[in-house]
Amino acid sequence: MIWIARIAAVLVGLFSLAMGVMMILSPAETGEGLGLGALSPIGLNALRADIGAFFLASALASGLALFGGRPHWLLGAAALYGLAFLGRLVGIAVDGAPEGIATPLVVEFTMVVLAVFAARTLSRS
């Protein structure tokens, strides 16, 4: 079971790292893929900084859990993805369900499940 938990933590970390790096290197294109647009240079900067930070913080938490012997850090990644998931649910309740909403909901829910499972399992070892 420990190996499955490590794989789960690696998946959370790699996905988060990939998204964070893509947001830093090409924020306009990555943001567009997420349904976000840079309307001005400060908007482009906000995509790079704010959204990039979200993903890179999750990657950092996963890395500290795996390589720093701190499995509870995965709960930070779970909290970030969980809050994003809840924000989407609020958006659906207030504005209705936009086309394509299922994919980010599934991704965020999956990241929460993987991170919580890994944190709990790795804490027991």
Side-chain angles (χ1 to χ4, degrees):
M1 191 66 85
I2 191 80
W3 283 103
I4 295 171
R6 287 183 181 150
I7 291 169
V10 165
L11 290 174
V12 172
L14 287 178
F15 174 79
S16 300
L17 181 62
M19 289 298 294
V21 168
M22 289 188 325
M23 192 56 74
I24 297 294
L25 297 179
S26 58
E29 294 80 8
T30 307
E32 189 175 317
L34 296 173
L36 302 169
L39 302 178
S40 66
I42 194 72
L44 185 65
N45 189 274
L47 284 173
R48 180 176 281 126
D50 300 338
I51 308 301
F54 171 94
F55 288 114
L56 293 174
S58 296
L60 178 65
S62 299
L64 287 170
L66 281 168
F67 303 113
R70 297 181 173 95
H72 61 280
W73 275 70
L74 277 162
L75 297 176
L80 286 169
Y81 283 108
L83 290 169
F85 182 83
L86 289 175
R88 289 191 197 279
L89 293 180
V90 169
I92 291 169
V94 172
D95 303 321
E99 185 177 330
I101 194 67
T103 300
L105 283 171
V106 168
V107 169
E108 289 158 358
F109 182 77
T110 301
M111 293 295 114
V112 170
V113 169
L114 289 173
V116 170
F117 165 74
R120 290 185 69 187
T121 304
L122 293 173
S123 292
R124 293 184 203 140
S125 64

